[in-house]
């Protein structure tokens, strides 16, 4: 199944593609155009690839801009691959679990797993990656971040734990693979940020302030 938006880019404006129901096929491909597109996926049942091409695009997974207080990745049941493209300010991938309490998940420079998903999400050429969490006590393990990508984690009202290390949550690894900026907003509750370079090479120097490392 192929779904194409902004066909021919004739009007100079982006397109909106919103997929909310079940699509059963060997493979689903969603294509944006050269303008800034908005692509929404709240359910993925078949292997799905999103290719945004040009423009500054926004891809929502688990929610939509019309329902910011709702969000779940439970219906991401197959592999979802998101491919950014050429752009000026960058593509944004927003994942929302705000309707679900107490999740755990893993983030690395190319892949996101857990978070209640039966499938997984891979991404490349995404300049802004955002994960919005719900209530309960969430555990997010960041093992690496992509060069050129700012990864932003937004906690909910529970007591969240954020582990940053190459072997998180064991936290005995290194930080060598943190290639892009990582921004953490704890939200409500009593939150914990564990950052470990225990397994890294000797002789490193760092600066710790009240808001940054």
């Amino acid at each position: 199944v192929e779904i194409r938006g902004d066909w021919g880019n004739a009007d100079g404006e982006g397109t909106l593609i919103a997929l909310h129901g079940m699509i059963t096929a060997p493979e689903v491909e969603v294509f944006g155009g050269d303008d800034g597109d908005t692509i929404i996926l709240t359910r993925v049942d078949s292997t799905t690839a999103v290719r945004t091409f040009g423009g500054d695009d926004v891809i929502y997974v688990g929610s939509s801009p019309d329902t910011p207080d709702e969000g779940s990745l439970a219906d991401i049941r197959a592999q979802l691959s998101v491919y950014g493209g050429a752009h000026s300010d960058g593509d944004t991938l927003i994942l929302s679990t705000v309707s679900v309490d107490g999740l755990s998940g893993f983030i690395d420079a190319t892949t996101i797993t857990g978070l209640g998903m039966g499938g997984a999400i891979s991404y490349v050429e995404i300049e802004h990656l955002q994960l919005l969490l719900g209530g309960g006590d969430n555990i997010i393990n960041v093992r690496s971040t992509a060069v050129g990508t700012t990864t932003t984690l937004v906690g909910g009202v529970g007591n969240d734990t954020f582990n940053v290390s190459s072997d998180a949550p064991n936290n005995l690894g290194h930080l060598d693979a943190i290639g892009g900026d990582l921004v953490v907003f704890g939200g409500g509750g009593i939150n914990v940020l564990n950052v470990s370079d225990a397994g890294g090479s000797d002789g490193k120097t760092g600066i710790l302030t009240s808001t940054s490392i």
Side-chain angles (χ1 to χ4, degrees), residues 181-184 193 195 206-213:
D181 290 344
L182 175 63
V183 181
V184 180
L193 173 62
V195 180
I207 299 174
L208 174 65
T209 73
S210 60
T211 59
S212 67
I213 301 174

Side-chain angles (χ1 to χ4, degrees), residues 75-203:
D75 285 334
I76 307 303
R77 303 174 183 180
Q79 175 68 39
L80 170 62
S81 301
V82 180
Y83 302 92
H87 26 61
S88 56
D89 294 327
D91 284 355
T92 300
L93 174 59
I94 301 174
L95 314 178
S96 178
T97 67
V98 297
S99 297
V100 185
D101 295 343
L103 294 174
S104 63
F106 293 84
I107 297 175
D108 67 29
T110 62
T111 307
I112 301 153
T113 58
L115 299 171
M117 295 186 290
I121 299 172
S122 64
Y123 63 98
V124 294
E125 290 190 289
I126 295 295
E127 283 68 33
H128 309 283
L129 172 63
Q130 300 178 15
L131 172 60
L132 312 179
L133 297 168
D137 301 339
N138 301 289
I139 301 174
I140 303 301
N141 303 294
V142 180
R143 293 182 167 176
S144 60
T145 60
V147 174
T149 299
T150 296
T151 301
T152 302
L153 311 177
V154 181
V157 297
N159 302 323
D160 299 322
T161 300
F162 304 92
N163 298 306
V164 184
S165 191
S166 60
D167 68 341
N170 295 324
N171 299 334
L172 296 175
H174 57 77
L175 300 176
D176 297 350
I178 302 299
D181 290 344
L182 175 63
V183 181
V184 180
F185 295 99
I190 300 172
N191 306 295
V192 176
L193 173 62
N194 298 310
V195 180
S196 175
D197 193 52
S201 58
D202 295 337

Side-chain angles (χ1 to χ4, degrees), residues 12-109:
E13 297 182 1
T15 190
L16 168 65
I17 301 175
L19 304 180
H20 298 288
M22 178 187 294
I23 300 177
T24 302
E27 184 173 293
V28 177
E29 291 190 284
V30 181
F31 298 91
D34 289 336
D35 302 309
D37 303 312
T38 299
I39 300 173
I40 301 168
L41 302 100
T42 59
R43 179 166 181 161
V44 173
D45 291 280
S46 303
T47 299
T48 299
V50 174
R51 305 179 191 276
T52 65
F53 295 109
D56 298 324
D57 309 294
V58 183
I59 305 98
Y60 293 86
V61 182
S63 68
S64 73
D66 297 327
T67 57
D69 295 328
E70 301 177 11
S72 171
L73 299 179
D75 285 334
I76 307 303
R77 303 174 183 180
Q79 175 68 39
L80 170 62
S81 301
V82 180
Y83 302 92
H87 26 61
S88 56
D89 294 327
D91 284 355
T92 300
L93 174 59
I94 301 174
L95 314 178
S96 178
T97 67
V98 297
S99 297
V100 185
D101 295 343
L103 294 174
S104 63
F106 293 84
I107 297 175
D108 67 29

